[in-house]
Amino acid sequence: MSDTFFSELESEAIEIIREVAATATKPVMLYSIGKDSSVMLRLAQKAFYPGPIPFPLLHIDTGWKFREMIAFRGRMAREAGFKLLTYTNPRGPAEGIGPITHGSAYHTDVMKTEALKQVLDLHSFDVAFGGARRDEEKSRAKERIFSFRAPGHRWNPKAQRPELWSLYNARINTGETIRVFPLSNWTEADIWGYIRQENIPIVPLYFAAVRPVVKRDGQWIMVDDHRLPLEPGETPQMLKVRFRTLGCYPLTAAVESNAETLEEIVAETLGATTSERQGRVIDHDGAGSMERKKQEGYF
Amino acid sequence: MDTLRFITCGSVDDGKSTLIGRLLYETKLIFEDQLEALKLDSKKFGTQGERLDFALLVDGLQAEREQGITIDVAYRFFSTSKRRFIVADTPGHEQYTRNMATGASTAQAAVLLIDARKGILVQTKRHSRIVSMLGIRHVALAVNKMDLVGGSQLVFDEIELAYRRFAGELRFETITAIPMSALEGYNILETGCAEIAWYQGPSLLQWLETVPTGERETTRPFSMPVQLVNRPNLDFRGFSGRIASGTVKPGDLVRVCPSGVTSRVKDIPVWGGSQSEAHAGESVTVVLEDEVDISRGDVIAAASHPVEAADQFEADLFWMSEQALLPGRSYAALIHTKAASVTITHIKHRLDINTGAHLAAKTLSLNEIATVTISFDRLVPFAPYPHNTRLGAFIIIDKLTNETVGAGIIHFALRRAVNVHWQAIQVTKSARAEIKHQHARCLWFTGLSGSGKSTITNLLEKRLHAEGKHTYILDGDNIRHGLNRDLGFTEADRVENIRRVAEVAKLFVDAGLLVLVSFISPFRAERQLARNLFDADEFIEVFVDTPLEECERRDVKGLYAKARRGEIKNFTGIDSNYEPPEAPEIHLQTVNLTAEACVDQIMESLVINPID
């Protein structure tokens, strides 16, 4: 891929980010620590260079992120110098909610969707950036770049505003909010190509390394800490794996890989025969589950 | 490698989603896990029996899969060794045409599908006209489902001929007709299938790989709408935006529109350094040599080819709301980065989608296209759409619902700013008011028919007159006998009714008078429009709040009884809506008040907003 190609994607995303900064009352950028967030962070830095990013970044911490992710989050906040907010739904620690005890659907609903709604209301954020891409999932492919949420953060996919050219109608009534997706037109391969071109720092989990894993339902689950209960007779084995996508650790499966460099990751991505979301347990909860989650306020 | 953005459009069931699913499948863009999911979905929702239903790859919303239709535009990505593609699969149903326009507005080429069995339909024409209006110049006429007409060349030739005849009035540069079957895979990737052996042209993919991606805007003079002013500290002041046309480099002389100020480009700072030059399509930040006052919505352009500003244009407008366009109503608009208030002052003609005939129209309904006169409340930098897409496209937004209700493109300015000068007036509004020992005001009485507006304004005028104030009443019924006798009671006429009265009230306030306007004025948008004509303290909205039951009980003029019998149409409160004010300056709850008490309340409020 040539530079001009990335220039087009980059310029479109920067235009979107600046448009929000120019029109929103109180914007915030969702920061998930993953590769897409890393790209979005770099684009925000570029959009306002030489000034700082004029809005905070927000991490919804489910309490079940890989340890390396949390370490990376702290490092980036220091190095990039953005204002970092973190939020955990108080119900999580209070009720001991987790993906293993409560199942992926309930855990995601409470610790991600509900937490997100709580923190947006808490700070009265009117616009929230997300790193979602249209190539990820079928209902995302249908979503606008400026995506409106009725009071209560509900998405109505059947009544999206027309969105022509790059004229983004950012007008909202009280109680309404907007989710904005600057990476809408990027693909997984674009993300990796851009990370390589720009040399953007990413969580080391994306690179192949020997890690302790167990096989569950045909997928490699990493044993990140003692909270993953082992089945009788199950012993973690050391395997060279990496992650194509990062979420909560028992909900994100690793793939066997030897890709230790960005070049190797790009080559592997271009030759991939399965989609990255295959490693996301949450998407397999049922057909149309992503659309339903989004209607309820999930990103 | 360049990128082509294209759309698939056409009528319902012409096979758009199936075609895209086929393209993704054939170009190996379907992952194994997605194929597994497709197999399951095809059994559950599929319309193709035991075979894979490719449409399910793109129809991602539950409602779409259940109904087997496309509701909203889906964006999908694929690439070949020659090009990268972003395809927008757009819905065929007339109800969802605005979603089709959403996809078309950013496309460089269109694949227009036609069912070989059905030929050209009204929706085929509607989509063609929108595609043409939005400036797409290259169209593939994909005559689909050729397998169902036995690969007949005769059928194909007839459709191609009919379409070329229809498209003669449109602005396409090339039309390439391709016979195909998305379901069977004929002429999608490869040509030369036995069933359509007579066809000599390119396959669809071959066409997509070679169609021009549009003129490079880089060859035109430099222009850039300012998106935001980047001012992190006192030492730095840059103007950020996406370059609409041309090239810019340090040292270039630029002129700002509309201020006309000139300066030179000092620097184009970019992450980690400076850019030696920047081109159309790039998001940049420009630093100028001089301290210039520039805001969001201004346009920086090459000094040798400055951008013009105007406030009235002829434009093509596509209406996207179930609420009809009302000429005279105030809407919000966005043109490049400039927000403004606009009114459509005149509908020149509406386009008959089917025949292309120019029809007279007083309003515009959902999915209609018209040529209109649009008036902005301020000067806006612009360029005709065919010359500069970014400076010539605008959207219209309803001020109450905030919905995007219209999309338009500018043909040309009707009145150039340079030719219009306000007559400089020596005797000012305040001078005229002072000589009468008063502040000029507009008291706008709104409320249902029979709520008591006329009674209260008459009493109030007497009271004010007794105090030596200069007043005038503009009463709904009286004005309709004269100035507005050409207007009826349709929504469009009601809007015009209010607009005229508001303008007259403004002139009277300008003359230094206390104007009492007594009009039902049922719509918030029009009262807001009236308010916008005045300075902040000049406009006082008085809500004469009498419940409908009470008005109907009084029925002084016997109008409610007639309306209930159906003898009067569009009667406010009966079969036409009244939108009560949300924050009137004065709120009269008349049920427990005499008319005298109401006037007392107004006089007290006017002390707070003093007349003296």
Side-chain angles (χ1 to χ4, degrees):
Chain A
M1 298 277 175
S2 68
D3 288 4
T4 51
F5 167 64
F6 284 125
S7 164
E8 195 178 315
L9 285 176
E10 180 187 78
S11 288
E12 180 186 66
I14 287 175
E15 180 183 29
I16 293 161
I17 292 169
R18 286 173 173 169
E19 195 64 15
V20 169
T23 56
T25 309
K26 198 173 176 191
V28 66
M29 181 171 274
L30 270 287
Y31 179 65
S32 73
I33 320 175
K35 62 184 189 305
D36 304 294
S37 281
S38 298
V39 167
M40 194 159 63
L41 167 60
R42 170 61 57 89
L43 292 166
Q45 289 177 298
K46 286 190 168 195
F48 305 105
Y49 178 84
I53 300 174
F55 40 74
L57 273 70
L58 168 67
H59 180 232
I60 305 287
D61 196 340
T62 61
W64 286 83
K65 297 296 170 189
F66 292 92
R67 285 171 296 167
E68 282 185 65
M69 290 172 73
I70 299 301
F72 182 82
R73 178 184 77 185
R75 195 192 114 197
M76 287 316 292
R78 279 193 307 278
E79 290 178 6
F82 55 82
K83 185 180 176 199
L84 176 71
L85 303 173
T86 62
Y87 183 81
T88 301
N89 187 344
R91 280 181 63 195
E95 298 173 28
I97 293 170
I100 296 164
T101 46
H102 293 73
S104 73
Y106 188 76
H107 169 74
T108 305
D109 184 44
V110 175
M111 299 310 291
K112 290 176 97 171
T113 308
E114 191 178 294
L116 176 63
K117 292 195 274 191
Q118 286 172 348
V119 69
L120 292 181
D121 290 342
L122 184 69
H123 292 272
S124 306
F125 291 124
D126 57 339
V127 179
F129 290 103
R133 311 186 319 264
R134 285 168 171 162
D135 77 324
E136 282 178 82
E137 201 271 337
K138 283 194 287 274
S139 64
R140 290 222 196 275
K142 294 267 169 183
E143 193 160 8
R144 299 283 189 260
I145 291 172
F146 276 53
S147 185
F148 291 82
R149 296 294 185 274
H153 306 281
R154 290 192 75 86
W155 182 49
N156 183 359
K158 282 202 259 183
Q160 298 195 79
R161 285 183 186 176
E163 186 172 83
L164 286 94
W165 300 288
S166 50
L167 296 175
Y168 303 108
N169 171 4
R171 290 170 62 111
I172 45 173
N173 289 316
T174 317
E176 295 171 341
T177 55
I178 313 179
R179 308 276 172 94
V180 175
F181 304 105
L183 305 180
S184 287
N185 289 326
W186 296 53
T187 64
E188 186 191 8
D190 299 334
I191 293 288
W192 283 117
Y194 188 72
I195 287 172
R196 181 179 56 174
Q197 177 185 297
E198 300 284 313
N199 206 15
I200 296 172
I202 49 170
V203 182
L205 290 165
Y206 284 115
F207 297 101
V210 176
R211 298 186 170 98
V213 289
V214 294
K215 194 152 205 168
R216 295 267 171 90
D217 299 327
Q219 296 194 314
W220 291 113
I221 302 295
M222 181 172 153
V223 185
D224 195 47
D225 59 30
H226 63 276
R227 291 185 293 180
L228 187 75
L230 297 174
E231 313 274 329
E234 194 178 47
T235 41
Q237 51 179 305
M238 299 305 286
L239 199 67
K240 197 162 186 185
V241 293
R242 70 176 198 89
F243 290 84
R244 285 178 73 184
T245 172
L246 288 175
C248 291
Y249 91 74
L251 301 180
T252 314
V255 292
E256 286 185 68
S257 169
N258 285 314
E260 294 179 10
T261 65
L262 283 171
E263 279 70 24
E264 285 164 358
I265 289 175
V266 171
E268 199 178 277
T269 306
L270 291 175
T273 57
T274 57
S275 77
E276 63 183 312
R277 297 206 77 85
Q278 193 193 29
R280 292 272 187 152
V281 179
I282 158 173
D283 290 358
H284 304 313
D285 289 346
S289 64
M290 178 63 82
E291 181 184 346
R292 203 158 49 243
K293 286 192 182 73
K294 286 169 68 61
Q295 286 187 29
E296 288 160 5
Y298 183 71
F299 240 91
Chain B
M1 189 155 70
D2 63 351
T3 304
L4 179 77
R5 289 184 184 229
F6 72 97
I7 58 164
T8 54
C9 58
S11 194
V12 187
D13 288 335
D14 284 350
K16 296 178 291 297
S17 301
T18 305
L19 173 66
I20 295 194
R22 168 69 70 173
L23 273 172
L24 296 174
Y25 180 72
E26 300 271 356
T27 54
K28 310 278 184 289
L29 262 286
I30 307 297
F31 291 119
E32 283 169 9
D33 54 317
Q34 292 170 332
L35 200 58
E36 283 304 311
L38 176 64
K39 283 178 188 163
L40 286 175
D41 285 351
S42 294
K43 280 188 192 144
K44 191 172 172 191
F45 301 107
T47 55
Q48 301 300 330
E50 285 302 299
R51 301 164 65 174
L52 291 178
D53 184 351
F54 288 114
L56 292 174
L57 282 172
V58 268
D59 286 339
L61 301 176
Q62 284 291 74
E64 295 179 323
R65 299 152 81 82
E66 283 157 16
Q67 300 173 49
I69 60 165
T70 305
I71 292 173
D72 214 325
V73 53
Y75 296 89
R76 303 302 300 243
F77 311 84
F78 66 97
S79 53
T80 65
S81 58
K82 298 198 175 67
R83 256 185 193 167
R84 172 190 142 99
F85 300 95
I86 301 179
V87 50
D89 177 34
T90 70
H93 279 81
E94 185 183 347
Q95 187 187 349
Y96 307 118
T97 304
R98 57 185 168 219
N99 296 333
M100 175 268 169
T102 292
S105 68
T106 51
Q108 298 148 316
V111 176
L112 183 69
L113 276 94
I114 290 185
D115 184 332
R117 297 168 304 172
K118 296 182 192 158
I120 296 164
L121 305 172
V122 175
Q123 192 66 347
T124 317
K125 294 182 179 177
R126 187 188 307 277
H127 281 188
S128 297
R129 291 190 193 284
I130 292 170
V131 161
S132 168
M133 166 185 159
L134 294 175
I136 296 175
R137 294 288 164 262
H138 303 283
V139 175
L141 189 69
V143 181
N144 194 27
K145 307 195 184 183
M146 286 300 289
D147 53 315
L148 299 180
V149 295
S152 164
Q153 184 174 5
L154 186 67
V155 170
F156 174 77
D157 286 347
E158 276 179 0
I159 290 174
E160 179 178 2
L161 189 68
Y163 189 79
R164 286 190 188 280
R165 206 176 293 141
F166 155 73
E169 60 185 282
L170 304 181
R171 287 169 247 161
F172 299 141
E173 283 172 26
T174 66
I175 299 170
T176 307
I178 305 171
M180 66 173 65
S181 166
L183 197 64
E184 301 293 340
Y186 301 167
N187 285 345
I188 305 296
L189 260 65
E190 308 286 342
T191 54
C193 67
E195 291 81 354
I196 318 178
W198 46 265
Y199 175 69
Q200 300 297 318
S203 73
L204 181 67
L205 191 66
Q206 287 162 357
W207 181 81
L208 289 170
E209 285 179 335
T210 52
V211 68
T213 53
E215 189 183 346
R216 298 294 292 176
E217 297 281 359
T218 44
T219 57
R220 298 181 186 276
F222 168 69
S223 66
M224 184 190 89
V226 174
Q227 234 189 328
L228 58 87
V229 180
N230 187 358
R231 189 140 208 231
N233 55 57
L234 292 176
D235 302 326
F236 185 86
R237 185 176 159 87
F239 305 102
S240 298
R242 199 164 178 194
I243 300 176
S245 62
T247 298
V248 65
K249 56 185 186 304
D252 283 358
L253 196 61
V254 292
R255 186 189 297 269
V256 182
C257 181
S259 72
V261 174
T262 57
S263 183
R264 249 174 226 290
V265 176
K266 185 177 172 188
D267 188 21
I268 309 171
V270 64
W271 174 260
S274 284
Q275 261 174 289
S276 56
E277 61 176 29
H279 308 279
E282 287 184 51
S283 282
V284 295
T285 298
V286 172
V287 178
L288 301 182
E289 286 191 347
D290 309 284
E291 284 266 331
V292 196
D293 179 14
I294 300 177
S295 322
R296 173 174 161 88
D298 292 350
V299 172
I300 303 176
S304 56
H305 294 82
V307 164
E308 285 185 85
D311 61 0
Q312 227 183 63
F313 305 95
E314 180 168 305
D316 276 352
L317 183 63
F318 170 57
W319 196 250
M320 305 188 288
S321 170
E322 283 81 6
Q323 298 288 318
L325 161 76
L326 297 179
R329 172 168 281 190
S330 175
Y331 295 95
L334 184 65
I335 173 168
H336 49 87
T337 56
K338 183 98 180 160
S341 277
V342 296
T343 53
I344 306 301
T345 50
H346 176 59
I347 299 177
K348 202 174 163 197
H349 56 75
R350 178 168 73 78
L351 199 63
D352 184 309
I353 297 297
N354 209 8
T355 65
H358 293 179
L359 309 173
K362 282 200 149 183
T363 67
L364 277 188
S365 307
L366 180 67
N367 295 331
E368 291 185 337
I369 300 171
T371 301
V372 302
T373 302
I374 181 168
S375 174
F376 284 71
D377 68 341
R378 64 200 73 187
L379 288 175
V380 292
F382 79 100
Y385 185 79
H387 296 177
N388 194 324
T389 313
R390 283 182 169 268
L391 296 188
F394 61 89
I395 56 170
I396 292 183
I397 301 162
D398 185 289
K399 285 186 173 177
L400 279 180
T401 64
N402 290 330
E403 289 295 321
T404 306
V405 291
I409 59 161
I410 289 178
H411 291 311
F412 50 81
L414 288 168
R415 192 171 65 187
R416 304 231 161 173
V418 286
N419 299 330
V420 182
H421 298 283
W422 284 100
Q423 196 64 43
I425 295 168
Q426 301 298 324
V427 181
T428 62
K429 174 163 62 180
S430 56
R432 291 191 205 96
E434 269 169 36
I435 206 169
K436 300 180 183 71
H437 305 290
Q438 63 188 30
H439 291 315
R441 291 283 183 274
C442 173
L443 278 76
W444 190 282
F445 290 77
T446 173
L448 293 167
S449 176
S451 59
K453 295 184 299 298
S454 298
T455 311
I456 294 169
T457 45
N458 283 330
L459 265 177
L460 177 64
E461 187 175 37
K462 278 185 199 162
R463 191 87 67 87
L464 289 167
H465 188 77
E467 293 192 10
K469 302 301 177 198
H470 297 243
T471 57
Y472 197 82
I473 292 181
L474 294 170
D475 182 89
D477 288 345
N478 296 345
I479 298 286
R480 277 190 176 277
H481 287 300
L483 178 64
N484 288 355
R485 76 174 160 212
D486 59 323
L487 298 177
F489 288 88
T490 63
E491 223 176 316
D493 278 358
R494 280 167 176 254
V495 171
E496 175 61 14
N497 185 34
I498 300 300
R499 190 193 67 80
R500 288 188 199 171
V501 168
E503 290 287 356
V504 171
K506 183 189 155 95
L507 292 176
F508 281 18
V509 166
D510 206 49
L513 298 180
L514 280 161
V515 185
L516 314 181
V517 180
S518 171
F519 267 66
I520 298 172
S521 44
F523 305 125
R524 282 189 201 116
E526 276 65 60
R527 296 195 300 265
Q528 185 62 41
L529 177 140
R531 183 185 290 271
N532 290 347
L533 292 176
F534 295 90
D535 291 342
D537 297 336
E538 275 174 8
F539 188 87
I540 297 164
E541 190 174 18
V542 185
F543 179 25
V544 184
D545 187 1
T546 310
L548 179 64
E549 310 79 65
E550 176 63 17
C551 294
E552 200 167 352
R553 193 187 58 74
R554 295 180 193 164
D555 204 5
V556 189
K557 301 170 194 163
L559 295 175
Y560 282 95
K562 280 191 186 169
R564 286 288 181 202
R565 290 196 299 270
E567 292 165 23
I568 307 176
K569 290 280 171 228
N570 298 319
F571 194 79
T572 302
I574 305 296
D575 58 349
S576 184
N577 203 14
Y578 180 80
E579 298 167 354
E582 278 166 343
E585 276 80 5
I586 298 174
H587 189 164
L588 304 175
Q589 285 162 312
T590 65
V591 174
N592 300 314
L593 289 177
T594 61
E596 287 287 351
C598 288
V599 171
D600 289 343
Q601 189 184 331
I602 296 170
M603 292 299 284
E604 277 168 32
S605 298
L606 287 179
V607 176
I608 300 166
N609 304 294
I611 291 175
D612 298 293

